[in-house]
Amino acid sequence: MHAWEAIQTSVDHIEEHLSEPIQTEALAQLAGLSQFYFQRLFKRLVKKPLQEYIKLRRLARAAEALRTEKKRILDIALDYGFASHGNFTRAFKDTYGITPEEYRKKQPLLNTCIKPEISMGYVLIDEGIPLIAGNIVLEIRRERLNTPEMYLGLTTDVSIAAQTPVGESTGIDIPGQLWTRYHDTKKLIEDYIVPDIELGMSYSADMEKGTFSYFAGGLAAALPQNLNRDFVRQELPAGEYIVCSIEAESFKELVTTALDQAGKYLFGTWLPKHKLTTQPFSAEKYIFSQEDTNRMEIWAAPITE
């Protein structure tokens, strides 16, 4: 068994037992390693210390329960290994910047710790060859966009450190909140957009401020002379692209786990292994024209010498 396979086995075990006590010794035995080497290898491959990872995964599952279940907050806290309401509240607020009570009332979108698919860091696929990892399927291809595409939508600034997969902090999901605002107001521009193609774009990083700009919108069918309220235009330029196509079992999984894992694979494994660097922006294209298919694409523009 490869070292990464041993850690993947322990990660899978943790996921299945988040509502139970989890002992480091038992996980190390499962991986066939001493506790010392297990914890070092776990931190290296998962990018988080063992106990922090377990806490963050429990908080992620607890947040989902707060949103979907009617249990008391104390009962949810106890379900996921927190000794008291106060202990759970402190951990939740330290992680997400909001109390469980506030989250249940307002239900903002959150950046949570996502279970990693470690194998993706050790598999290099050829262009046009699908990769199946966990519950997602991804495929990478090159594509030339002959004419630019114009989109209409909204934009906001996002903290680099607080947005996965670029940063690793948890908290309010600012791009997700922008998508919610766009979908709540897009009826104001519905005469000018294609209903089944949407684009999210990260661009214009400001390293001094530690932020980047994020756009969320729909493909323009026509361009109005004047845009309503805060709507702006954003162009996907013509040119050569590396396109990572992703499919998942549900739309929620597509825009959370699948997007996170595919982004890390594309930018952290595939592009570096092919000695490719990209221009300082990336785009997420959502395609809704195919029924019963939860599909999106990550577009990145390689830098050519």
Side-chain angles (χ1 to χ4, degrees):
M1 179 185 292
H2 294 292
W4 65 262
E5 292 177 299
I7 299 303
Q8 184 69 63
T9 297
S10 68
V11 167
D12 294 342
H13 180 86
I14 290 168
E15 196 68 18
E16 294 171 0
H17 298 85
L18 284 171
S19 61
E20 306 166 22
I22 300 174
Q23 302 298 328
T24 303
E25 181 180 3
L27 290 172
Q29 289 178 351
L30 183 66
L33 298 166
S34 70
Q35 291 189 53
F36 174 76
Y37 283 111
F38 170 73
Q39 291 186 84
R40 289 186 65 183
L41 189 58
F42 188 97
K43 183 177 179 180
R44 177 182 171 186
L45 296 184
V46 179
K47 313 301 182 187
K48 288 179 175 58
L50 174 64
Q51 293 305 322
E52 180 187 355
Y53 173 77
I54 293 173
K55 181 191 74 172
L56 290 174
R57 283 302 300 147
R58 283 174 166 161
L59 285 168
R61 291 275 286 272
E64 178 67 15
L66 286 169
R67 191 178 66 83
T68 61
E69 299 179 14
K70 295 183 179 180
K71 286 184 177 181
R72 295 185 307 162
I73 291 177
L74 174 60
D75 293 331
I76 291 174
L78 297 174
D79 284 346
Y80 289 100
F82 295 91
S84 67
H85 188 293
N87 180 271
F88 175 58
T89 296
R90 283 191 295 274
F92 198 95
K93 186 169 184 180
D94 286 346
T95 301
Y96 301 122
I98 188 173
T99 67
E101 288 83 1
E102 291 170 333
Y103 174 71
R104 172 168 269 179
K105 181 179 180 181
K106 300 178 182 177
Q107 295 192 9
L109 297 173
L110 298 177
N111 275 326
T112 62
C113 175
I114 291 174
K115 174 180 174 286
E117 191 65 39
I118 299 171
S119 64
M120 295 177 72
Y122 297 88
V123 177
L124 189 63
I125 57 172
D126 293 327
E127 293 174 29
I129 303 298
L131 170 64
I132 300 174
N135 293 326
I136 72 171
V137 179
L138 65 83
E139 184 175 323
I140 295 175
R141 70 182 190 274
R142 294 176 189 259
E143 182 166 325
R144 177 167 184 79
L145 190 64
N146 291 317
T147 58
E149 295 178 348
M150 188 65 70
Y151 290 79
L152 304 176
L154 303 172
T155 188
T156 191
D157 289 335
V158 182
S159 167
I160 294 173
Q163 188 60 38
T164 58
V166 180
E168 292 296 332
S169 298
T170 51
I172 303 298
D173 181 1
I174 301 302
Q177 295 292 91
L178 186 68
W179 274 114
T180 298
R181 186 157 68 94
Y182 169 73
H183 288 134
D184 287 344
T185 57
K186 70 177 181 179
K187 60 180 177 294
L188 297 172
I189 58 169
E190 61 185 356
D191 292 338
Y192 302 102
I193 56 175
V194 177
D196 55 5
I197 299 179
E198 295 180 346
L199 190 82
M201 182 183 288
S202 303
Y203 61 101
S204 296
D206 186 326
M207 303 311 295
E208 290 187 3
K209 294 182 179 179
T211 63
F212 66 91
S213 297
Y214 186 83
F215 169 88
L219 179 65
L223 295 177
Q225 290 185 344
N226 296 302
L227 285 170
N228 294 312
R229 295 189 181 181
D230 298 325
F231 288 98
V232 298
R233 301 178 183 182
Q234 182 63 52
E235 181 183 270
L236 182 64
E240 300 289 341
Y241 288 91
I242 304 293
V243 179
C244 180
S245 175
I246 316 161
E247 293 185 16
E249 293 185 355
S250 68
F251 185 75
K252 179 187 175 190
E253 186 171 21
L254 180 71
V255 299
T256 54
T257 304
L259 177 57
D260 178 81
Q261 292 177 348
K264 288 177 178 176
Y265 179 74
L266 177 63
F267 293 104
T269 298
W270 199 90
L271 289 168
K273 290 290 185 180
H274 285 81
K275 296 181 171 54
L276 291 171
T277 56
T278 58
Q279 296 178 30
F281 83 93
S282 65
E284 312 144 20
K285 187 181 288 190
Y286 298 88
I287 303 164
F288 303 104
S289 56
Q290 296 175 313
E291 293 185 4
D292 301 322
T293 300
N294 299 292
R295 180 172 173 263
M296 66 169 295
E297 297 173 342
I298 301 175
W299 287 53
I303 296 174
T304 55
E305 295 182 358

